Amino acid sequence: MKILNRSALRLRAKPTFLEWCSSVAPEDAEELAILKAQLEQTGTVYLVQEVESESDFYQAVTDNAVDILKNELMAWCVDASLWPEELNAQLLESWFSIDTELMCFDLSDQPLMVADAETLGGGLGGEIIEDF
């Protein structure tokens, strides 16, 4: 077991985000319906700098809100012109519930690999930046 020097934010979609997804990608309505429970219950985990207090988590959300929203929005709509005009922490908190975890442990015996998410998402096969 390895301890990671990170804390975590877990996002779970609220109905307002799911409504936005349906409005910009109506052709994916069936897929969205299938994923709805997953988006509402399990969500996505984002690792942030290790924090020590609730105010540090608030700062982590504020500092990373735009990048997190871009990642979540890109999963449903690659046309950024259809995204909300202003991406900020308030929008993030209105579209997602955010759970926080102080400590992160890696239980896998596989090496931890870090890759550029934009490269991976671009269909270019991606490139591993680090593995350790």
Side-chain angles (χ1 to χ4, degrees):
M1 179 180 336
K2 298 171 278 301
I3 298 174
L4 302 178
N5 63 337
R6 299 287 184 266
S7 294
L9 304 173
R10 184 177 73 158
L11 273 63
R12 289 179 292 148
K14 291 181 178 177
T16 49
F17 177 69
L18 299 172
E19 289 167 12
W20 176 85
C21 292
S22 294
S23 72
V24 296
E27 67 280 0
D28 294 332
E30 187 175 318
E31 179 183 358
L32 183 60
I34 293 167
L35 292 175
K36 184 178 186 241
Q38 179 183 357
L39 293 169
E40 289 177 328
Q41 294 173 15
T42 59
T44 305
V45 173
Y46 290 91
L47 300 180
V48 295
Q49 282 188 317
E50 199 168 22
V51 302
E52 296 180 9
S53 70
E54 192 64 35
S55 64
D56 292 339
F57 272 120
Y58 178 78
Q59 192 62 49
V61 169
T62 301
D63 291 347
N64 295 288
V66 172
D67 290 334
I68 292 170
L69 280 166
K70 285 180 179 179
N71 190 59
E72 296 294 326
L73 296 172
M74 184 66 71
W76 290 99
C77 178
V78 295
D79 183 355
S81 70
L82 298 175
W83 295 0
E85 198 169 301
E86 191 169 343
L87 304 180
N88 55 40
Q90 291 77 22
L91 179 63
L92 181 67
E93 292 175 8
S94 72
W95 278 9
F96 297 92
S97 63
I98 303 171
D99 298 320
T100 58
E101 297 296 335
L102 285 173
M103 299 182 72
C104 294
F105 295 90
D106 183 357
L107 297 174
S108 175
D109 59 357
Q110 298 295 314
L112 185 62
M113 294 183 281
V114 179
D116 183 334
E118 290 178 15
T119 302
L120 289 172
L124 303 174
E127 175 185 345
I128 302 302
I129 299 169
E130 290 180 60
D131 82 38
F132 45 97

